[in-house]
Amino acid sequence: MSELPSEILNIVYKHSSNKDVLQCALTCKRWKESALIHYYNSLSIDASRVLQTKELLQLDLSERDRYFQNGTFTKKLVVHRDDRYHIPYDLRDTVVHYTKEEWILLLKYLPNIQVLDLFQSKNSLRYMDYILNCTESDKILHKTRAIIVTNSKSHMAGTKVPNDIYFALCYKYRATITTLEVEYNSKSFKSGPINGNMLTMLYHFNSLTHLTFNNSCDDQLTTFDIMDAFPHLVSLDYKSKYMIPEVIVENILGGDTNRKKLNSSFKELHLTIPTISMHYADYIKDYVAPHLDVLKLKICNMEIFDWVKRFGLYNAVGFLRSLSKVKTASIIWEPHEHDDRLINTSTKSENTVFFTLLNAMIRNKNMHFRAQYIYGRAHKSLRVTPEDHLYFDYNLKESDYNLPLTNQDFEQGYSLSLPAQFSIPNRSTSIIGPEVIHQFNVSLGDSHQNLPLEILRYALVNCPNLQTFCCQILGENNHTILLDVTPKKGNDIVKSIPNSINATKAHIKVIKTESIVPSKEMMCLIHQYLPAVERLICILDDLTYPFVELFEVDLTAFIYLKSVRLDVQLFNYDRQNTAFLEIQFSDKDWEYYHLWGNSTTLTVTKTTLEHMNERISIKEYGDVGKAVIQCRKQVKFELFSNRSRTTEIYNGKISKLDEEIIIKLRHISYSNSRVRLYYIRS
């Protein structure tokens, strides 16, 4: 073991906890040397550590040096949760911050710090002031590349630091700073002895590679000006309340060849601007996109269809096609919340335009498509990843899908018409349509329980390559439908089969509903398009309590069905603490079960048809819920209440599942959809 190459050891340390790295350091002398470098590479100081180091800093010089002898290994210092609320109650009156002398002395013991992270420090302003007023600046932070603080726009726990103090501190160490965020809200800058023209001062950051620049004062500034100032820039995140001046860009593109060129190190560009003009779009398409690894654009005050109308569909398609060639690229249209549409177009033509733009982002035939429709303002986005995933977000207003009821010959006597935004694009114009979608996610606000069924119908009818589907309707009662591939167990961890680009609806084996009793119409629709379903899961949302006296589902047509997982509260179990389950087998005798209990127990016993009917008929004891499920004899039932206490019924036998299996089943039936929805919204 002692002969392992240092490269292997470093990989081991990188994937180990600090506790394990420390154990490695105790193995042998050679491991100790390499392990301690890794162990002390990042130093995290919270309130208790502040108290400890304050005591050590008061020791005699020789003893103090011994405790800080490994400080030269530290490259990153993080100070966080450093207030009295994060120490024992009996120490609440103790000072939980360094004095100026202690702070400067600590930094002297850490001469190789590259990152000073005060983002979540309650004393960040105090410590920055100590550094700014330090007379021994040449002895501390002389290798600092980044200083991280909580600015006025952040909502984290740290003390907010004024922009002038942050910039003044970074300017003090401008020779080594590589990462900087600039709030350009005034052309002149003054903070103590540091003053001058802001843009001129930026030229003095000779080592800068990563810049975030927020422009709120100069309507003539361009990204060309910023790029001129930093010849070694790798990443630029430029936000401006002004569009890039069209005349300036046109002049540069017409003659200044040097300003059009990018240095070879520049790889990442983020732009947040009101809109993108034709000439600047040409500059990005012809000179920027071919050289980048990451390109992200946010158009922050114009709706997508207004932008296309002004820009021209042909030009918009050409521009997005250039973005598709970048490893990671995205474009977002996010108008202000109360902006009105400038140009009115029909829903059908909007859908056609959007799929035409989506087609422009396709870089090869193996792209994996994820569609996300969600309630909100007119936000739209397209994004491609290095893994050849193409994601699009299409936010809907309530008026886009909350349409009047139409009479149709459905079981309930009525249904909603299809949501307008889910219409089929004009195929004479758009090369692609919803058939390209592999993952279909919807989250809307509506109180009508039939809306999930209509959205499911649209996905099953129009998306032959569908692999996963999740529809959540948030209203008076929350309703969810989830379709997914078959979960499988491996190494005691519940996993999902990875989606192949060639997978189709035939690979969907799991149906999950939440706070929904699957109707006959829904099951007929699912059987028509997903006949190979193996697992049905019906659960109740934590905040929803629909009254259902009879839970009835016919699963006889699903010849491959293996299991049904059922929340007994769906059929009134929680109200009376008792309910009945009637299983009508198509190929053997029927079975009857009595379910009773409370919030902590669930008891299931076999019963008879006579006993069940007798108990249900005695109305003075209250109404009793009942579930009737028709299926084939191979089906296994898993009954649970409050997402635990699972009982299994299989081949006429009743058995309790152990806690470990319950947790895994809970992960399948609950976390699967919840995690998916959190992922969608992120």
Side-chain angles (χ1 to χ4, degrees):
M1 294 289 288
S2 62
E3 301 300 321
L4 283 176
S6 58
E7 293 82 4
I8 300 297
L9 288 175
N10 288 332
I11 294 175
V12 171
Y13 300 147
K14 184 178 180 180
H15 293 84
S16 302
S17 65
N18 272 357
K19 182 179 179 181
D20 292 334
V21 173
L22 190 58
Q23 290 297 316
C24 291
L26 301 175
T27 302
C28 63
K29 181 178 180 181
R30 180 172 174 272
W31 279 32
K32 177 182 178 181
E33 294 174 352
S34 57
L36 288 180
I37 293 175
H38 188 88
Y39 183 77
Y40 286 103
N41 180 70
S42 180
L43 184 61
S44 179
I45 297 179
D46 58 12
S48 60
R49 290 285 180 89
V50 170
L51 298 181
Q52 292 172 4
T53 52
K54 280 173 69 71
E55 292 181 0
L56 296 177
L57 291 168
Q58 302 303 320
L59 297 174
D60 293 337
L61 178 61
S62 58
E63 190 175 3
R64 186 175 68 216
D65 287 348
R66 182 167 61 88
Y67 279 104
F68 291 95
Q69 61 181 324
N70 294 311
T72 56
F73 298 145
T74 301
K75 301 293 182 61
K76 181 177 182 180
L77 174 62
V78 182
V79 184
H80 63 117
R81 298 191 302 174
D82 54 339
D83 57 70
R84 62 191 184 93
Y85 297 106
H86 291 93
I87 58 176
Y89 187 80
D90 57 344
L91 297 176
R92 291 289 170 86
D93 294 332
T94 308
V95 175
V96 195
H97 63 79
Y98 298 106
T99 65
K100 180 178 180 180
E101 292 73 19
E102 291 168 342
W103 177 246
I104 299 302
L105 184 57
L106 176 63
L107 295 181
K108 287 182 179 179
Y109 276 117
L110 309 173
N112 296 315
I113 289 178
Q114 296 179 4
V115 177
L116 176 60
D117 186 345
L118 303 176
F119 190 72
Q120 295 190 54
S121 171
K122 290 292 187 179
N123 298 285
S124 56
L125 194 55
R126 181 195 310 270
Y127 296 152
M128 295 177 73
D129 186 62
Y130 290 165
I131 299 170
L132 277 172
N133 295 299
C134 177
T135 58
E136 300 178 285
S137 299
D138 58 326
K139 297 181 180 180
I140 60 172
L141 301 178
H142 57 274
K143 294 186 179 180
T144 301
R145 297 181 180 178
I147 299 173
I148 304 172
V149 297
T150 305
N151 60 34
S152 58
K153 297 181 179 180
S154 177
H155 301 285
M156 299 299 291
T159 298
K160 291 177 172 45
V161 176
N163 295 320
D164 56 344
I165 295 177
Y166 166 76
F167 184 78
L169 183 59
C170 290
Y171 189 78
K172 188 171 185 177
Y173 296 96
R174 60 192 177 277
T176 58
I177 287 289
T178 61
T179 302
L180 178 67
E181 181 168 354
V182 175
E183 290 293 335
Y184 189 43
N185 47 30
S186 175
K187 295 183 180 181
S188 61
F189 178 84
K190 181 174 177 55
S191 178
I194 302 175
N195 62 84
N197 180 276
M198 176 71 82
L199 290 179
T200 302
M201 296 173 72
L202 288 176
Y203 278 86
H204 301 156
F205 287 83
N206 298 322
S207 301
L208 202 65
T209 57
H210 295 74
L211 174 64
T212 298
F213 196 99
N214 304 307
N215 175 27
S216 59
C217 75
D218 191 345
D219 61 356
Q220 294 302 301
L221 188 67
T222 70
T223 53
F224 301 103
D225 301 314
I226 298 174
M227 299 295 293
D228 289 344
F230 306 108
H232 306 295
L233 207 61
V234 174
S235 171
L236 172 62
D237 185 349
Y238 180 72
K239 303 178 179 70
S240 178
K241 61 185 291 187
Y242 310 104
M243 66 178 291
I244 308 295
E246 179 77 337
V247 175
I248 295 177
V249 176
E250 184 178 4
N251 291 336
I252 292 174
L253 294 182
D256 197 339
T257 304
N258 290 329
R259 299 192 77 187
K260 290 185 290 189
K261 294 180 179 178
L262 296 178
N263 67 72
S264 59
S265 61
F266 189 69
K267 294 299 180 184
E268 187 168 335
L269 176 62
H270 299 240
L271 285 177
T272 301
I273 49 181
T275 189
I276 184 168
S277 64
M278 182 69 70
H279 286 96
Y280 194 71
D282 288 340
Y283 165 68
I284 291 177
K285 179 176 65 174
D286 297 333
Y287 299 99
V288 178
H291 304 287
L292 295 185
D293 292 332
V294 178
L295 176 55
K296 297 183 178 181
L297 306 177
K298 179 184 285 189
I299 298 175
C300 57
N301 77 342
M302 183 171 288
E303 211 270 350
I304 179 174
F305 302 111
D306 292 339
W307 179 79
V308 171
K309 187 70 175 179
R310 292 183 173 188
F311 204 69
L313 182 59
Y314 178 82
N315 295 324
V317 167
F319 178 64
L320 294 188
R321 188 169 290 123
S322 71
L323 299 190
S324 70
K325 296 178 173 60
V326 183
K327 290 181 182 178
T328 301
S330 66
I331 181 167
I332 301 172
W333 295 266
E334 195 171 65
H336 296 306
E337 187 172 359
H338 301 295
D339 280 357
D340 294 326
R341 286 291 312 280
L342 300 178
I343 301 166
N344 292 317
T345 54
S346 69
T347 298
K348 186 172 183 180
S349 64
E350 288 181 358
N351 197 272
T352 302
V353 168
F354 191 81
F355 272 95
T356 301
L357 298 179
L358 181 67
N359 182 64
M361 294 288 281
I362 300 175
R363 62 163 63 113
N364 61 60
K365 63 180 182 180
N366 293 321
M367 299 290 285
H368 185 279
F369 292 79
R370 188 202 73 186
Q372 175 183 320
Y373 294 91
I374 192 169
Y375 174 77
R377 58 190 183 187
H379 166 95
K380 308 286 188 299
S381 69
L382 302 168
R383 175 164 61 99
V384 292
T385 72
E387 297 79 22
D388 285 338
H389 287 199
L390 203 168
Y391 301 144
F392 73 81
D393 293 353
Y394 200 119
N395 281 28
L396 301 167
K397 302 181 294 295
E398 187 174 359
S399 58
D400 292 329
Y401 61 86
N402 192 9
L403 302 179
L405 298 178
T406 58
N407 293 324
Q408 294 186 23
D409 188 19
F410 286 164
E411 182 180 343
Q412 293 89 347
Y414 59 84
S415 175
L416 287 177
S417 58
L418 281 178
Q421 293 291 0
F422 294 138
S423 60
I424 303 298
N426 184 343
R427 299 312 295 267
S428 65
T429 303
S430 177
I431 298 175
I432 63 170
E435 75 281 350
V436 302
I437 298 174
H438 300 95
Q439 184 176 343
F440 198 115
N441 300 314
V442 183
S443 181
L444 300 175
D446 197 281
S447 60
H448 199 286
Q449 63 180 2
N450 207 52
L451 186 57
L453 175 62
E454 293 304 322
I455 297 174
L456 173 65
R457 187 192 310 279
Y458 176 88
L460 292 180
V461 171
N462 296 289
C463 305
N465 297 307
L466 192 67
Q467 296 175 8
T468 63
F469 171 87
C470 184
C471 175
Q472 184 182 52
I473 305 300
L474 305 174
E476 182 178 351
N477 293 321
N478 298 337
H479 303 292
T480 301
I481 301 175
L482 172 71
L483 309 178
D484 208 342
V485 293
T486 306
K488 67 175 182 179
K489 298 176 182 177
N491 298 325
D492 296 325
I493 300 176
V494 177
K495 301 178 180 179
S496 289
I497 298 175
N499 291 333
S500 165
I501 189 66
N502 297 316
T504 64
K505 288 189 300 237
H507 292 80
I508 295 178
K509 303 295 179 65
V510 178
I511 306 170
K512 172 178 169 288
T513 65
E514 187 167 324
S515 304
I516 295 176
V517 177
S519 65
K520 180 179 179 180
E521 181 185 1
M522 180 186 294
M523 299 314 296
C524 288
L525 179 66
I526 291 174
H527 179 260
Q528 179 182 355
Y529 291 95
L530 310 174
V533 165
E534 298 178 356
R535 185 166 176 78
L536 171 65
I537 302 169
C538 299
I539 70 173
L540 183 67
D541 183 87
D542 286 335
L543 303 177
T544 306
Y545 299 95
F547 180 78
V548 181
E549 290 188 10
L550 179 61
F551 182 101
E552 188 172 13
V553 181
D554 186 353
L555 304 174
T556 308
F558 294 89
I559 62 176
Y560 300 103
L561 188 67
K562 296 179 181 179
S563 68
V564 174
R565 178 163 166 76
L566 188 62
D567 187 338
V568 298
Q569 294 180 95
L570 278 168
F571 44 97
N572 207 25
Y573 166 78
D574 191 55
R575 294 172 180 264
Q576 298 295 334
N577 290 342
T578 186
F580 288 93
L581 171 63
E582 178 178 326
I583 306 176
Q584 299 180 358
F585 292 108
S586 60
D587 40 8
K588 72 171 188 177
D589 294 339
W590 296 4
E591 296 175 355
Y592 308 92
Y593 295 90
H594 186 195
L595 292 68
W596 75 92
N598 53 39
S599 61
T600 59
T601 62
L602 171 63
T603 303
V604 180
T605 60
K606 273 193 171 183
T607 188
T608 63
L609 176 62
E610 292 77 13
H611 175 263
M612 180 181 71
N613 290 336
E614 179 183 359
R615 175 63 183 84
I616 292 175
S617 64
I618 304 176
K619 295 298 182 182
E620 55 264 31
Y621 289 110
D623 293 329
V624 176
K626 178 182 176 183
V628 177
I629 299 181
Q630 303 173 51
C631 62
R632 296 172 182 266
K633 64 181 179 181
Q634 79 271 12
V635 177
K636 175 173 62 178
F637 286 83
E638 297 157 0
L639 306 178
F640 70 102
S641 176
N642 292 328
R643 308 194 189 280
S644 60
R645 297 172 295 284
T646 302
T647 299
E648 182 180 284
I649 300 175
Y650 182 57
N651 200 22
K653 297 180 180 180
I654 303 172
S655 58
K656 287 278 189 180
L657 296 182
D658 61 42
E659 192 65 27
E660 182 179 356
I661 296 178
I662 289 174
I663 292 174
K664 291 179 180 178
L665 290 173
R666 183 177 179 182
H667 173 84
I668 297 173
S669 66
Y670 178 65
S671 298
N672 196 20
S673 67
R674 287 300 184 192
V675 171
R676 182 185 307 280
L677 287 171
Y678 289 143
Y679 170 70
I680 291 171
R681 291 167 181 167
S682 63

